[in-house]
Amino acid sequence: MDQNNSLPPYAQGLASPQGAMTPGIPIFSPMMPYGTGLTPQPIQSSNSLSVLEEQQRQQQQQQQQQQQQQQQQQQQAAVAAVQQSTSQQATQGASGQTPQLFHSQTLTTAPLPGTTPLYPSPMTPMTPITPATPASESSGIVPQLQNIVSTVNLGCKLDLKTIALRARNAEYNPKRFAAVIMRIREPRTTALIFSSGKMVCTGAKSEEQSRLAARKYARVVQKLGFPAKFLDFKIQNMVGSCDVKFPISYEPELFPGLIYRMIKPRIVLLIFVSGKVVLTGAKVRAEIYEAFENIYPILKGFRKTT
Amino acid sequence: MAYQLYRNTTLGNSLQESLDELIQSQQIIPQLALQVLLQFDKAINSALAQTVRNRVNFRGSLNTYRFCDNVWTFVLNDVEFREVTELIKVDKVKIVACDGKNTGSNTTE
C-alpha cells in the first residue's frame, strides 16, 4: 500500500478510477510486451501469498533494483489487474475486489513469467531527474544585438550607373569604390550593391530585420528593371554588446579595451574597464549568448575591488 | 571648360529664351547663340567664385540624396534659408552640386 505514492506518473494513470475503463476494451494493450506472444493471464494465487513473495523480494535486493522491479511488477501487475478487473467486470464477478486491486497494486500478481521489461527507459529513473544545477548562476544579463552583416546574391549582372541615377538615396563613385551605396530608412540599413549582382546589407539590429532590409533593396533593384532574385541569403556577422555593471581591473594603459578571442564559440570580445563588453564574430545569435555566459564568471573574477 | 550647370537657373533660362527669340526672328544664327551660352557659363562661374561674397545658411530635413558622376543631388523639405538680413522658408528645395575647383559652386532650383 505504501508503494502507491512511489508510483511514477505514468503508472499512476493505471490506478485511475475504474470508471474510465470500458470492459473488454484492452486500452492498456500498448503496455503489453510486444512480440512475446504472451497475454498476461491473471494468476489465481491467493493475494496474501503474493504479498509475502514481494516483501521478501524487496528485502533481498538493493533499492534501485528493487524499485525497478517494483515498477515492472506494478506495471505488469496493473496490466494484469486491468485484465483481471475487466474480465471480472465482464463476467460480473466479485466487483468488490476490483477497487482493491487498484488501491494496492501489490495485492495483484507476481511478475508475469517470460516477460522481459521492454520499456527500460521509463522504468529506470525512479525519481524524476533534476537537471544538474550549474556551479555558477546565469548572469541574468542578455547581450543586445547592435549590428548584423548579411550577404545575398541578386542573381543577375547590374548596371551600377543606371541604379545610381534612378534610385533614391544612392551613391556611386567608381573611382573610389566599385559599388553603389544605398540606404533605406526602415529598417535603417546600408547596402553595398556590386555589378556582379551580389549585395552586402549592414546595420540591422536583428536577423529578421536584416533579411527584410535585403529584400527591400532587392525590390528597389527589381523595380529599376533588373531581373533580381534573392539567392543564398546568409548572415555573415553579428555584433552584440552588454554591460556587466561592475568595473574590471587589468592594464588599461596598454589598450583601452581588452581583446579576448574565445575559442569555442569562436567569438571576439572587447572588454572595457567600465564593464562594457562588445561581442563580435558570431554567425548565430546563440553564439553571442553562449560567449557571454562563458566570459561572465571570468569577469567576475577580475572585478575591481577598489 | 566651365560647368553648364547654371544654364538652368532663372538668369540662365531668361538668357536662353531671349536667344531663342532672336533665332526665331532671324536676327542671329544658332551658332552665335551657342557661343553666347558658353560665354555665359564662363562669366557666371567666375562671378560666383570671385565676386559674390555674401554667405547664406540653410537648414532642412533631407528627403533624398544622390551621388553619381561626381554630382550631388539633394532634395530637402521644410528648408529655412537664413541670411543676416532675412529669412526665407520653402517646402521643397532641390540642390544640384558639382565639385568646385577652388570653392564649392552650387545652384539651387
Side-chain angles (χ1 to χ4, degrees), chain A residues 102-117:
Chain A
F102 282 92
H103 283 308
S104 57
Q105 300 283 345
T106 55
L107 285 183
T108 54
T109 64
L112 304 168
T115 59
T116 50

Side-chain angles (χ1 to χ4, degrees), chain A residues 182 184-187 189 199 209-222 230:
Chain A
M182 198 184 296
I184 56 172
R185 287 188 164 93
E186 182 54 50
T189 50
M199 183 170 79
Q209 280 188 4
S210 191
R211 192 188 180 88
L212 174 66
R215 278 203 180 271
K216 289 193 178 183
Y217 289 114
R219 195 168 347 131
V220 168
V221 171
Q222 202 176 55
F230 200 74

Side-chain angles (χ1 to χ4, degrees), chain A residues 164 167 169-170 172 183 185, chain B residues 62-67 69-70:
Chain A
N169 301 325
Y172 181 45
R183 293 178 176 86
R185 287 188 164 93
Chain B
L62 182 66
N63 189 322
T64 60
Y65 66 88
R66 175 179 293 118
F67 182 67
D69 293 328
N70 269 332

